Amino acid sequence: MKQEKSDINHLYNPTKRLPAVLLLVVFLFVAVFVKMFAVIILDGGKLQMKAIDQWLRDLPTDAPRGSILDRNGNVLASTSTRYNLYVRPSATPDKPAVAKLLSNVFGYDYEKTLEKISKRTSEVTVATQVTKEQLNTVYESGLSGIYYSEDNHRYYPYGDFMTQVLGFCSTDGFGQTGLEAYYNKYLTGVNGQIMTETDLIGKELGAGTYYLPSIPGMNVITTLDSGIQRIVDGAIAKAVAMFKPKGVACIVMDYDTGGVVALSEYPSFDLNNVPRDDLEALFLHSKSNIVSSVYEPGSTFKILTAAAALDAGKVTVSDRFYCAGSRTVDGKRIRCWKAKGHGSINFAEGVEGSCNCVFMDSALRMGTEQFYNYLRNFGLTKKTGIDMTGETSGIFIAQDAVKTVDLARIGFGQAVAVTPIGLISATSAVMNGGKKVTPHLLSVVKDINGNTVGNTGITSSGGQIISQNTSDTMRTLLESVVTTGSGKGAYVPGYRVAGKTGTAQKYANGAIASGKYISSFLGFSLSEGANYAVLFIVDEPSGYMYYGSQVAAPLVGEIFASMFDYLGIEPVYTGEEAEIIGEKFSLPDFTGMTVAQARNELAKLGLYCETDGEGNNVKGQYPEAGVTVDKRNVVLLIT
């Protein structure tokens, strides 16, 4: 019996459970401590923010977007402040008075407005894009329960101006195209907040309002010049009126630095009235064809063929060629633009007269490998790296697939497709001493205090592509194109201008499209203080005139003349130039003459001519007989 009692005492001995109880208590204390540590230390900030969020009502204040400026400080894109209005029903004791005020200021329906602000909700938006004057009218009423937040309205002072290059923003202020998209990270600021203490149902506690200011976006200063852009826009408007084309594009670039000075395209639209309801038109007219579309350049490409052949030592300016009006390569007849041929000419005369046979022979002398090496060095086979969205690269036949006939056609600008920005970038190296340049629009980025942000501008040039001697020779050859050749329309008395015309046929469904051409002129100013390249492209000009010499060259001449005046560069006249300026005369009638007779008469007058057709007799002419002209005019003989 005693033994059983002893066993029971041993079984229920409390000292045996004490360690377990103590261990449980310690575990609970540790768990509570860990939880307190997690709540106070680890999650304290988050929980505090949740608490603040529960008793604070906040309204966002949009940060002003940075401005886009041209190189002279003119604002191209800016931000004006607008306001959004909110009503908090719980903080609005006199709802009928507020509804009447809003309907009077904004033209709202009173009953619908009263119903809207009477809903059981924390707050309701009653107006957006409110002006400062409207906001003042609302707050001068003294009615409570109405709150506001700042909003930003993107504004373009010049409207339909640099549409493709500037781009536009979405309704919430995010850059979507052009520079607005490319430099969105600089232009976008940091939003602020207006916070008010409220109870659970949103009624103000009277503890005050807290304001967290926004940080404005940075300003982007570009290489663009709004003055030169206006000149270009005027030339494009003239081209549209004269030729009723499908499209027109022009880019002006400093060929020493690669800085884009002007970029304009037609059709376009007013950036203050973006056609968001017509997505097809929006896409077509907002993308830059200068950067994102390729075309067959035609004779403007001959600048690169000539430079490569001279630099490689495959031709000299005195080498002679014979043009009978065509070449037969790989059994295929390739015609020169001059059906009757240029006869025996040297290389310099071939450049001046844009003889296809001379450039076919030049390309064939180099061979595919050497010619393609030059094209790669010129940067034509890849993107230029311009700071615009949507750039594409040129399209070339794969080097190992190039046939002899292909190489011959490439030599005079067929069987290739390039972007306008790629062409003007490549040819800039021909004119600037042989240096590769990167086309760009950004000059510098500055913060709200005017401080420069990092090394944001592109100023460095690439490597040497051709020699200085080759560049000097090409400048002389291309200047003769303007003074005495097909580019006479771009001639500006008192100034030195070089260039090359281009007339390319268009293709549809793999075949040449009848009557559809791309007329272009690529000009370069050689006068000191204006190292600019101008590429002017007219897509499908209507009517008889489609040669680049007649359609594009005169407009480039007008652009250069206006640019020289705008930049304050004084002309320096030679005796012959003074004679050209003063001598205007009535154009004779060449109808009924043979082509040879008409050419002789035009040569006596100092006029360059083009022919349309392969007939022997002149059936018509442009300009028409009796029109007042000077020696800069190019005459089209219709045969």
Side-chain angles (χ1 to χ4, degrees):
M1 191 69 174
K2 287 182 180 181
Q3 181 64 38
E4 290 179 0
K5 186 175 182 180
S6 176
D7 290 340
I8 292 173
N9 288 340
H10 177 75
L11 184 62
Y12 294 101
N13 188 351
T15 58
K16 294 254 185 200
R17 293 188 174 188
L18 186 59
V21 173
L22 290 174
L23 185 61
L24 178 62
V25 171
V26 170
F27 175 78
L28 291 173
F29 269 106
V30 170
V32 171
F33 177 79
V34 169
K35 183 64 176 177
M36 290 176 62
F37 178 82
V39 170
I40 298 172
I41 305 301
L42 299 181
D43 298 331
K46 294 180 182 179
L47 294 172
Q48 188 176 21
M49 290 302 297
K50 286 185 178 180
I52 292 174
D53 188 58
Q54 288 179 351
W55 53 264
L56 282 180
R57 289 290 181 267
D58 62 276
L59 296 174
T61 59
D62 288 350
R65 190 172 175 84
S67 296
I68 301 176
L69 302 92
D70 77 353
R71 64 182 183 179
N72 299 314
N74 297 309
V75 177
L76 305 174
S78 64
T79 298
S80 59
T81 303
R82 292 288 189 271
Y83 303 89
N84 297 326
L85 285 186
Y86 306 85
V87 169
R88 291 185 181 138
S90 60
T92 309
D94 194 350
K95 294 180 178 61
V98 170
K100 184 177 181 181
L101 172 67
L102 295 174
S103 61
N104 289 337
V105 174
F106 301 106
Y108 295 160
D109 179 87
Y110 169 77
E111 296 296 337
K112 291 182 179 179
T113 304
L114 179 60
E115 180 183 357
K116 188 175 184 179
I117 66 174
S118 299
K119 294 179 179 179
R120 294 180 62 83
T121 183
S122 59
E123 62 189 28
V124 59
T125 302
V126 293
T128 59
Q129 295 293 305
V130 176
T131 65
K132 184 70 173 178
E133 292 73 19
Q134 291 173 322
L135 182 68
N136 288 338
T137 300
V138 169
Y139 272 86
E140 285 170 1
S141 69
L143 294 173
S144 59
I146 306 174
Y147 303 86
Y148 77 92
S149 67
E150 291 182 359
D151 192 10
N152 293 308
H153 173 68
R154 199 60 168 167
Y155 176 66
Y156 302 88
Y158 301 103
D160 189 350
F161 190 74
M162 298 185 184
T163 298
Q164 290 81 10
V165 65
L166 292 178
F168 57 88
C169 296
S170 62
T171 54
D172 58 357
F174 189 85
Q176 291 191 306
T177 63
L179 291 175
E180 292 279 24
Y182 199 93
Y183 289 114
N184 189 69
K185 64 179 181 180
Y186 293 124
L187 294 165
T188 303
V190 180
N191 293 339
Q193 288 181 321
I194 299 174
M195 297 173 288
T196 305
E197 293 185 16
T198 63
D199 62 13
L200 185 62
I201 62 173
K203 187 175 181 180
E204 287 188 36
L205 297 176
T209 298
Y210 306 92
Y211 177 63
L212 181 65
S214 60
I215 302 174
M218 300 176 188
N219 295 327
V220 170
I221 294 88
T222 68
T223 59
L224 297 163
D225 189 311
S226 58
I228 295 177
Q229 178 76 22
R230 289 193 192 95
I231 293 169
V232 169
D233 282 355
I236 285 182
K238 187 173 182 178
V240 172
M242 289 178 63
F243 306 111
K244 298 177 177 56
K246 179 180 179 181
V248 187
C250 180
I251 180 170
V252 182
M253 190 178 87
D254 186 320
Y255 58 73
D256 271 340
T257 66
V260 176
V261 180
L263 191 155
S264 186
E265 299 178 54
Y266 165 86
S268 61
F269 56 85
D270 188 338
L271 288 170
N272 294 313
N273 188 24
V274 179
R276 303 181 195 276
D277 56 342
D278 188 345
L279 294 181
E280 183 178 358
L282 180 64
F283 175 76
L284 288 175
H285 301 158
S286 62
K287 76 169 185 174
S288 172
N289 289 313
I290 287 175
V291 169
S292 61
S293 296
V294 296
Y295 76 113
E296 188 174 273
S299 294
T300 52
F301 192 84
K302 293 174 181 177
I303 296 173
L304 301 174
T305 303
L310 285 168
D311 195 66
K314 299 301 181 181
V315 299
T316 67
V317 292
S318 59
D319 281 1
R320 299 204 67 81
F321 300 80
Y322 185 80
C323 171
S326 66
R327 279 281 188 279
T328 300
V329 183
D330 285 350
K332 296 184 179 180
R333 181 172 175 259
I334 306 173
R335 296 194 306 174
C336 180
W337 69 267
K338 189 175 181 180
K340 296 185 181 297
H342 290 87
S344 178
I345 55 175
N346 62 31
F347 184 77
E349 292 169 332
V351 173
E352 184 179 312
S354 195
C355 175
N356 289 354
C357 294
V358 169
F359 290 94
M360 282 190 270
D361 290 352
S362 299
L364 293 174
R365 287 187 187 186
M366 281 186 283
T368 302
E369 182 177 357
Q370 187 173 52
F371 194 19
Y372 263 56
N373 283 338
Y374 273 100
L375 297 181
R376 278 190 287 269
N377 291 337
F378 279 125
L380 286 171
T381 58
K382 58 184 180 181
K383 299 177 182 179
T384 66
I386 188 173
D387 44 347
M388 284 184 68
T389 55
E391 184 185 10
T392 188
S393 59
I395 300 174
F396 291 81
I397 301 171
Q399 183 174 326
D400 57 3
V402 174
K403 300 176 183 178
T404 306
V405 67
D406 298 325
L407 183 60
R409 287 198 171 103
I410 294 171
F412 63 92
Q414 284 188 358
V416 295
V418 297
T419 59
I421 191 64
L423 180 63
I424 199 171
S425 176
T427 53
S428 288
V430 176
M431 303 304 294
N432 67 17
K435 306 185 304 292
K436 184 177 181 181
V437 297
T438 300
H440 60 278
L441 293 141
L442 178 66
S443 176
V444 69
V445 174
K446 293 189 176 182
D447 63 21
I448 193 64
N449 298 315
N451 300 315
T452 299
V453 180
N455 183 23
T456 49
I458 301 173
T459 56
S460 60
S461 298
Q464 196 78 14
I465 302 173
I466 60 174
S467 69
Q468 180 69 56
N469 183 61
T470 300
S471 177
D472 292 341
T473 301
M474 286 301 302
R475 287 165 71 96
T476 301
L477 292 175
L478 293 177
E479 188 174 7
S480 71
V481 173
V482 174
T483 55
T484 58
S486 61
K488 286 185 71 173
Y491 175 69
V492 184
Y495 302 93
R496 296 179 60 204
V497 175
K500 188 75 189 69
T501 57
T503 308
Q505 294 175 306
K506 295 187 69 174
Y507 291 82
N509 301 320
I512 293 175
S514 177
K516 293 186 178 182
Y517 299 89
I518 295 178
S519 305
S520 62
F521 186 81
L522 178 51
F524 307 90
S525 57
L526 305 181
S527 294
E528 189 173 348
N531 295 328
Y532 294 121
V534 178
L535 176 57
F536 199 95
I537 302 171
V538 182
D539 186 9
E540 294 186 22
S542 59
Y544 283 109
M545 294 175 61
Y546 59 84
Y547 282 111
S549 59
Q550 294 181 307
V551 175
L555 292 168
V556 172
E558 292 181 13
I559 290 173
F560 274 130
S562 298
M563 279 175 52
F564 294 141
D565 182 61
Y566 170 76
L567 296 169
I569 300 173
E570 295 294 331
V572 179
Y573 298 111
T574 64
E576 184 180 352
E577 286 177 325
E579 179 185 345
I580 291 173
I581 295 170
E583 186 179 350
K584 291 184 180 294
F585 51 90
S586 177
L587 188 68
D589 187 356
F590 303 103
T591 306
M593 294 184 183
T594 65
V595 173
Q597 289 172 333
R599 284 186 180 278
N600 288 334
E601 293 299 319
L602 286 165
K604 293 177 184 178
L605 295 171
L607 294 173
Y608 185 87
C609 75
E610 305 271 14
T611 58
D612 181 24
E614 299 181 21
N616 292 318
N617 297 312
V618 179
K619 296 182 177 180
Q621 66 184 66
Y622 191 90
E624 296 177 351
V627 173
T628 301
V629 298
D630 60 36
K631 292 183 179 180
R632 290 172 291 178
N633 285 88
V634 176
V635 177
L636 175 65
L637 300 176
I638 302 170
T639 66

